[in-house]
Amino acid sequence: MRKLLMSAAALLPLLGGGCVAKTAFNVATMPVKAVGKTADWATTSQSEADRNAGRKLRKEDEKRAREARAEEKRRDRERRESDRD
């Protein structure tokens, strides 16, 4: 029983060798991946800038349209009040 346990313990590093290499690779590449992710978060791509500019223009157009509708309602209200007098 003891020999079997010792044999298994001796073979364990050979069986787990791939895991150690994979872990070492992951540890070595982690800083590079972290810097790349930080750069992605810190910068704006051209497509993101275009999308944001389009969104801003749409919001401005919607605001102008709301203001124009409100102004039109105000004029109609004034016209109706002046017609009553």
Side-chain angles (χ1 to χ4, degrees), residues 13-31 33:
L14 296 175
L15 296 174
C19 294
V20 172
K22 177 78 170 151
T23 302
F25 177 77
N26 287 341
V27 169
T29 60
M30 195 179 309
K33 290 179 183 178

Side-chain angles (χ1 to χ4, degrees), residues 27-77:
V27 169
T29 60
M30 195 179 309
V32 175
K33 290 179 183 178
V35 168
K37 186 63 78 172
T38 302
D40 286 344
W41 285 340
T43 59
T44 303
S45 69
Q46 187 61 46
S47 63
E48 289 172 322
D50 292 344
R51 184 181 61 229
N52 293 338
R55 182 179 295 136
K56 183 178 177 184
L57 288 174
R58 280 192 305 278
K59 286 185 182 271
E60 289 173 359
D61 287 345
E62 290 170 1
K63 182 179 178 183
R64 272 188 247 122
R66 278 193 307 270
E67 291 172 351
R69 284 192 303 269
E71 181 63 23
E72 184 66 29
K73 283 183 179 181
R74 187 188 62 77
R75 284 189 200 135
D76 287 345
R77 197 176 313 125

